Amino acid sequence: MGRGRWSEVRSRLRARGLRWTPQRRVLLEVLDRMDGHVTGADLVASCRAVDPTTTPSTVYRTLDVLEELGVVTHSHGREGRQEFHIRPRASHGHLRCTSCHGTWELRPREVRALATGLRVDRGFEIALDHLTIEGRCTVCAAAGAP
Ligand SMILES: [Zn+2]
Ligand SMILES: [Zn+2]
Ligand SMILES: [Zn+2]
C-alpha cells in the first residue's frame, strides 16, 4: 500500500467515524504485507501475533469499512469463507474446483462474453471481484472425479 496511501486510508477511516486505533494500524500493516488471498480468520491471527488485544469484531468491522472505501475486496472460498484481497491489484474473479479445492484467477477477458451478454440482455453488471465460478478443473474432470 505504501506510506502515502496509508495516511489517506487513515483520514478516510476518520471521516467514516472510525477512530484510528492501534488495532486498526496493525490490521493495515498486516494487509500491507499480505499477498494473494487471506481469510478473515488468518487476518485476525496475524493481527493477534502483533497485538494480542486485537478482537475479531474490530478486524471484521474495519475490513467492512475498508471494502466500502475500495481498499480491499473479498471473494468466497471453500464453504463460502470470505477471502480478502488488497487493491490495487488487477480486478479478477475466481474459478474454484469443488473436487480438489484448487482456485485460479479469472481475468476480465475470460468472462467478457458472459459479462457482455448479461449487460445487453438483462442490464446486469457482473461484480468480477466477487465472482466465483465453481466446477471441476481439467485434472479432476479427466480423472472422472466427482
Ligand atoms: Zn461476499
Ligand atoms: Zn480439481
Ligand atoms: Zn483472487
Side-chain angles (χ1 to χ4, degrees):
M1 215 179 306
R3 297 230 164 249
R5 209 175 137 119
W6 262 52
S7 53
E8 188 212 347
V9 169
R10 178 177 173 160
S11 58
R12 288 169 77 193
L13 283 178
R14 278 217 177 104
R16 292 293 181 106
L18 291 187
R19 285 188 310 125
W20 183 248
T21 61
Q23 287 86 356
R24 296 208 160 98
R25 183 177 55 74
V26 168
L27 174 60
L28 289 182
E29 280 172 9
V30 166
L31 285 169
D32 202 24
R33 45 166 209 263
M34 95 179 198
D35 195 25
H37 308 86
V38 179
T39 65
D42 288 339
L43 286 172
V44 170
S46 298
C47 287
R48 283 191 155 161
V50 180
D51 179 352
T53 68
T54 305
T55 60
S57 61
T58 297
V59 170
Y60 286 107
R61 180 153 175 251
T62 307
L63 285 167
D64 280 348
V65 176
L66 291 175
E67 187 149 11
E68 284 171 30
L69 296 177
V71 178
V72 301
T73 61
H74 78 267
S75 62
H76 295 272
R78 196 172 171 179
E79 280 138 30
R81 280 192 301 229
Q82 284 187 319
E83 293 183 344
F84 294 90
H85 302 63
I86 298 188
R87 291 191 200 240
R89 292 193 49 199
S91 187
H92 64 269
H94 300 90
L95 288 177
R96 206 168 72 75
C97 177
T98 52
S99 186
C100 69
H101 305 296
T103 58
W104 296 268
E105 294 192 354
L106 201 50
R107 296 293 170 187
R109 64 176 169 76
E110 296 179 285
V111 296
R112 189 176 297 139
L114 175 64
T116 303
L118 289 175
R119 188 182 307 120
V120 170
D121 295 345
R122 294 173 173 258
F124 191 88
E125 298 286 340
I126 289 180
L128 179 62
D129 288 326
H130 199 208
L131 178 69
T132 299
I133 298 177
E134 294 190 333
R136 285 189 300 169
C137 72
T138 180
V139 173
C140 292

